[in-house]
Amino acid sequence: MNNPLKKITRGIPSYCCANEIVIEAIFEHYKNNNAPVLIEGTANQINQNGGYTGMKPNDFKNYIYSIADRLKFPHERIIIGGDHMGPLFWSELKSDEAMSNAKELVKLCVMAGFKKIHLDTSMKLADDPVNERLSDDVIAERGAVLFKACEEAYQELLKQNPDEIRPVYIIGSEVPIPGGIQDSQTGLQVTSVKEFENTLKAYETQFKNYGIYQRFIDVIGVVVQPGVEFGDHYIHHYERVKAKDLCAALKNYSGIVFEGHSTDYQTREKLREMVEDGVKILKVGPALTFALREGLFALSMIENELIKNNNDRANFINTLENEMLLNPKHWEKYYHGSESYKDLARKYSYSDRSRYYLNVPEVKNSIRKLFNNVDENISKLIPGLLKQFMPVQYKKVMSGEIKLNARSLVHDYISQVVDDYNSAVKN
């Protein structure tokens, strides 16, 4: 059986998220069609040290499958991928040690059954020249080293299962940082044709040098910057005219597509244009948890109306804020300015640094209590109250499209994002 990503016709969204409620909403959205679902974890989220989720690659796979099992979603429709897999997590170390860790990471991903791996070696390591751009050759050589490690792991899998599907790979040095950029004044440059072609040439050369060129056919995509990005409070929308030359050059390379990172918050029309122009893999992450946070905030407003005793409320908004203030390491380097601005950014920034706190026990318990409180008082949730704080969901409840319960209401916020991506890749 071939890897379904080998032949990407229209396109596919890549959902980069490890949040349980988000993944539930994604599976629920896909229940009524036959499309594959691609879910990816980053090297910061999952690695041999556990990442910030506490999960190793095999743990991540089992976690995704456990959610699927609960929702009766078939495993065979799930593609698990690894994003930014390389020395990202160990960039403060010298190259020998960082790359040794990266090799172990990608091997674990392959052994866990990941079928799409983004080999990201674009970051500088501790002994790289400080004032020089990391060359395409160095990036590609490190990528070839990681690919070879993946191939070794795949051969081990074949001994266990001769029908094991071979993974596919994404390369590229034009890699935006995970989670969006911070400086809205930074000029956003579309990858040039020369940069794209130099990347391919450098990788082809290094694959030949390492004796693995015959497997270059497993490289199905290149990460480029097509002109999309987001920061705390702004979005760089796709302008296809600026990417015209880059996208035209792609037609010279069969079997290769572009992968677009930081496509969060693009309109569905812009997403569709990107797919039409060759950006066939659309990665989205913070926009999903931003939508989750929106839904939880709206539900909290409803809870305030349903439950008058403050001590009986979940007080999710305050709980989240308190945890972010108690442990500011996930946002203090990213949000700058006055205290009032940082107060707003912690709640409403497109970068959505609050996503790092959703698995903190106090926050998880608050979400659980919020859901329970609303569900236990659902008979009091008159239509006008729902319409006030969840107008889109109100219409769907009235039409019978979604159920009237806390989880379904919040799922629908996330589902709207998922629907934008599905719309972009539909024929």
Side-chain angles (χ1 to χ4, degrees), residues 19-157:
N19 181 274
E20 181 179 7
I21 300 173
V22 169
I23 294 168
E24 286 176 353
I26 292 169
F27 285 150
E28 290 284 2
H29 190 94
Y30 275 84
K31 267 189 173 181
N32 296 323
N33 64 49
N34 295 317
V37 180
L38 172 58
I39 298 178
E40 301 200 49
T42 69
N44 282 331
Q45 290 172 322
I46 53 170
N47 55 53
Q48 57 265 48
N49 299 323
Y52 70 76
T53 65
M55 288 186 280
K56 298 177 182 180
N58 200 59
D59 299 327
F60 183 69
K61 178 196 71 175
N62 291 335
Y63 167 71
I64 299 297
Y65 282 174
S66 68
I67 298 172
D69 291 342
R70 180 155 40 85
L71 299 176
K72 297 180 171 56
F73 193 89
H75 291 193
E76 58 268 22
R77 286 182 55 199
I78 303 171
I79 303 170
I80 298 179
D83 192 30
H84 295 285
M85 291 297 165
L88 173 68
F89 194 75
W90 304 279
S91 58
E92 79 283 357
L93 302 177
K94 291 184 177 180
S95 55
D96 284 351
E97 188 175 358
M99 285 299 295
S100 176
N101 288 331
K103 285 166 64 177
E104 181 185 355
L105 171 59
V106 297
K107 282 185 174 183
L108 288 174
C109 288
V110 174
M111 294 301 294
F114 287 31
K115 297 307 177 190
K116 175 184 175 291
I117 298 176
H118 169 211
L119 300 174
D120 182 8
T121 53
S122 61
M123 67 292 300
K124 285 187 177 182
L125 305 178
D127 52 351
D128 287 326
V130 176
N131 298 318
E132 297 177 18
R133 177 186 177 277
L134 203 59
S135 72
D136 289 332
D137 289 337
V138 170
I139 293 171
E141 181 181 11
R142 290 173 179 172
V145 168
L146 295 185
F147 183 96
K148 194 169 183 179
C150 290
E151 181 63 15
E152 291 170 359
Y154 175 68
Q155 293 303 320
E156 286 297 314
L157 281 182

Side-chain angles (χ1 to χ4, degrees), residues 84 88 120 174-182 229-230 261-262 334:
H84 295 285
L88 173 68
D120 182 8
E174 296 286 308
V175 184
I177 61 172
I181 57 177
Q182 300 172 49
E229 190 51 274
F230 65 91
H261 288 219
S262 300
Y334 300 87

Side-chain angles (χ1 to χ4, degrees), residues 305-318:
E305 295 294 333
L306 294 177
I307 299 176
K308 294 305 179 183
N309 187 338
N310 188 60
N311 292 330
D312 293 334
R313 295 172 182 161
N315 290 311
F316 168 75
I317 297 173
N318 289 337

Side-chain angles (χ1 to χ4, degrees), residues 172-205:
S173 56
E174 296 286 308
V175 184
I177 61 172
I181 57 177
Q182 300 172 49
D183 184 4
S184 62
Q185 304 304 315
T186 300
L188 188 65
Q189 297 294 322
V190 173
T191 301
S192 70
V193 173
K194 183 178 180 181
E195 289 168 332
F196 160 56
E197 292 182 336
N198 283 349
T199 292
L200 279 178
K201 290 175 184 176
Y203 268 89
E204 286 178 337
T205 297

Side-chain angles (χ1 to χ4, degrees), residues 332-367:
E332 62 183 348
K333 294 180 182 178
Y334 300 87
Y335 299 153
H336 307 288
S338 66
E339 290 304 314
S340 61
Y341 174 79
K342 286 187 282 189
D343 176 65
L344 290 173
R346 284 192 296 272
K347 295 182 178 72
Y348 307 113
S349 164
Y350 287 140
S351 300
D352 188 40
R353 306 302 298 181
S354 69
R355 69 187 186 275
Y356 292 94
Y357 298 84
L358 295 177
N359 276 336
V360 173
E362 288 77 6
V363 178
K364 286 187 73 172
N365 289 337
S366 180
I367 295 172

